[in-house]
């Protein structure tokens, strides 16, 4: 296969346009975001129409001929760039010389919170990109129907978030920019129970749900709050019940992503029993 | 309370000695390590004889009079330092002006893998400090008896590991520097089943244990492998059985800490049913 000429100038128009996607503002204006690294880009290429443009270093084009072929098959604009130019778009360590410009993927709330939805994961005021990405990956693994990030949460198209999803961003529908009350109201109207994960004064214990009348096999929207302060009182008010992961030892709490993993998989387990 | 004079020179002997603990070599030579941030230091001070020396900025001494009092009560050497000097010992963002020199805490394998141990967490070739720390915190939260880091795992006294444990390093016994076969042999001799968490070709499914004769309520040593390549064949061989967290969606895998959380809490749940 004939490769295009190598772009060696960071001043190239294509590079400068793609680099704008490093900021939230640039992503919003273009409706595009960057995915870096072979794993993310492989998943992006497998997702119909997700990739708009592909940047590879010469070394990456050599070790990943399948990316070159996919670009040619799908008429995706392919640029071969120097290592130095690639650093304008991504951390070279994580990207391994592979960066894709992708179309934003978020969908409407009403398209995912339906009467068939079994498990929805809602992030309310989650601010750490790594946590958000890890929970999207967890939700995908648990077979959840969708992930919703409320308007005050981290940008799902942030490079760290995209990387932490390990490709799951291209598997599971994501909704952004909605208020928590809007989500919980629709979930309830569609017959889902709305559970808040809350370490403090929760009404229910995840490991002893029946003792307090909680049915974890029911269709559920799980709401996870901020990593530092958890759920605010006004956010708890729009949920149906609060549930705590029991702490059997001396730790004060769990970190957000591990607590979310335990809750989400406990619902997935109960729903399949 | 009268505070000592402020140390403003990074060349001060106390500071230079403490800064040596930033390297693994220095920690090993001194049998000491650094804990940073109010949460970790609070837990360290609550642990008998754990703290050797305490460094506070003036601002931190003012906002945490309890640390000054604890140092005086326990005859812990207290130094008040400038912000600049503190950066020689810690990232100021995470430390919030609070750093303690602590005595290393690791204990003998035989003291924790006993005939009464219910749940032991073993990290084999885990290399990421954040993952190791998060799993120590999880093990503490789940009420596990101990965490064992095999000799090829990350240093438990690394600043990032200590920070990720969020104080749990001072709650739960930790064993370091042993080989995996030594751990699994002793665990088996003490009547624990040895389970390997393994995403690929596992014999058992964490959510359907009975179908393949796995009893998750039994006394268990869980072994978690490297974040990239998982468990090596020779490591799997010294365990009794491999268990996978079921993947219901399209994700290829879970990250190590979230998978460990799901496994550890599933054992804790079954053991308490």
């Amino acid at each position: 296969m004939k490769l295009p000429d190598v772009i060696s100038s960071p001043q190239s128009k294509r590079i400068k346009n793609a680099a704008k996607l490093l900021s939230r503002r640039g992503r919003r204006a273009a409706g595009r975001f960057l995915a870096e690294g072979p794993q993310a880009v492989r998943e992006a290429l497998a997702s119909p129409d997700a990739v708009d443009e592909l940047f590879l270093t010469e070394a990456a084009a050599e070790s990943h001929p399948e990316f070159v072929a996919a670009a040619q098959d799908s008429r995706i604009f392919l640029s071969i760039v120097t290592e130095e130019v690639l650093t304008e778009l991504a951390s070279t360590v994580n990207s391994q010389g592979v960066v894709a410009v992708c179309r934003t993927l978020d969908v409407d709330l009403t398209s995912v919170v339906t009467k068939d939805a079994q498990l929805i994961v809602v992030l309310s005021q989650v601010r750490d990109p790594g946590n958000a990405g890890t929970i999207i990956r967890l939700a995908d693994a648990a077979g959840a129907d969708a992930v919703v990030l409320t308007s005050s949460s981290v940008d799902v198209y942030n490079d760290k978030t995209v990387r932490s999803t390990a490709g799951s961003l291209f598997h599971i529908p994501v909704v952004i920019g909605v208020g928590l009350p809007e989500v919980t109201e629709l979930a309830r109207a569609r017959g889902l129970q709305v559970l808040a994960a809350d370490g403090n004064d929760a009404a229910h214990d995840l490991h002893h749900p029946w003792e307090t009348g909680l049915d974890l096999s029911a269709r559920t929207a799980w709401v996870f709050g901020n990593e530092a302060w958890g759920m605010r009182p006004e956010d708890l008010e729009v949920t149906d019940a609060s549930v705590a992961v029991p702490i059997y030892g001396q730790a004060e709490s769990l970190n957000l992503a591990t607590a979310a993993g335990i809750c989400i998989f406990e619902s997935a387990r109960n729903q399949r029993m």
Side-chain angles (χ1 to χ4, degrees), chain A:
Chain A
M1 274 173 290
K2 172 94 177 64
L3 292 182
D5 290 343
V6 176
I7 300 178
S8 61
S9 163
Q11 300 306 317
S12 137
K13 182 112 194 225
R14 290 208 159 264
I15 303 303
K16 293 193 82 162
N17 275 337
K20 286 182 189 157
L21 305 178
L22 290 169
S23 76
R24 185 168 191 163
R25 190 178 175 169
R27 291 191 289 271
R28 227 179 250 166
R32 301 284 186 279
F33 68 102
L34 298 172
E36 69 176 74
Q39 188 188 15
V41 170
R42 190 171 300 117
E43 306 288 347
L45 286 167
S47 176
D49 289 325
V51 179
D52 204 29
E53 197 171 350
L54 188 59
F55 294 92
L56 302 173
T57 58
E58 283 179 283
E62 206 164 294
S63 34
H64 297 288
E66 74 279 16
F67 291 166
V68 176
Q72 288 172 340
D73 290 352
S74 312
R75 300 173 185 277
I76 292 164
F77 200 96
L78 172 67
S79 298
I80 306 295
V81 301
T82 59
E83 288 275 350
E84 189 208 345
V85 165
L86 200 90
T87 58
E88 298 291 313
L89 303 181
S91 69
T92 24
V93 174
N94 293 310
S95 72
Q96 296 172 52
V98 181
V99 174
V101 172
C102 303
R103 292 180 189 87
T104 52
L105 305 153
D106 48 279
V107 297
D108 271 356
L109 185 65
T110 50
S111 72
V112 293
V113 181
T114 65
K115 62 181 181 30
D116 297 321
Q118 290 291 321
L119 187 57
I120 303 274
V121 173
V122 184
L123 305 186
S124 171
Q125 316 243 349
V126 169
R127 299 283 159 80
D128 179 74
N131 277 337
T134 301
I135 297 175
I136 291 170
R137 182 177 176 186
L138 272 164
D140 175 21
D145 296 283
V147 176
V148 181
L149 290 94
T150 65
S151 39
S152 42
S153 292
V154 68
D155 182 13
V156 73
Y157 300 117
N158 176 300
D159 61 324
K160 288 202 192 92
T161 311
V162 174
R163 193 160 63 239
S164 308
T165 72
S168 288
L169 184 56
F170 300 100
H171 299 156
I172 187 168
V174 169
V175 178
I176 62 173
V178 289
L180 183 61
E182 191 186 338
V183 183
T184 57
E185 202 176 305
L186 184 62
R188 217 173 281 117
R190 296 290 174 266
L192 294 133
Q193 64 178 344
V194 181
L195 302 181
D198 187 31
N200 309 310
D201 308 315
H204 305 280
D205 175 331
L206 188 78
H207 281 181
H208 300 91
W210 290 108
E211 290 177 14
T212 48
L214 175 65
D215 179 5
L216 287 171
S217 69
R219 297 166 56 225
T220 299
W222 267 109
V223 185
F224 301 102
N226 180 271
E227 26 289 270
W229 68 76
M231 298 280 291
R232 298 177 306 181
E234 63 264 43
D235 293 338
L236 281 173
E237 241 167 54
V238 298
T239 66
D240 297 331
S242 58
V243 184
V245 177
I247 302 286
Y248 300 116
Q250 296 175 68
E252 262 178 49
S253 64
L254 289 168
N255 79 20
L256 180 67
T258 51
I262 294 165
C263 293
I264 294 168
F265 269 80
E266 192 57 9
S267 280
R269 190 182 71 78
N270 277 275
Q271 291 183 342
R272 281 167 179 80
M273 275 207 314

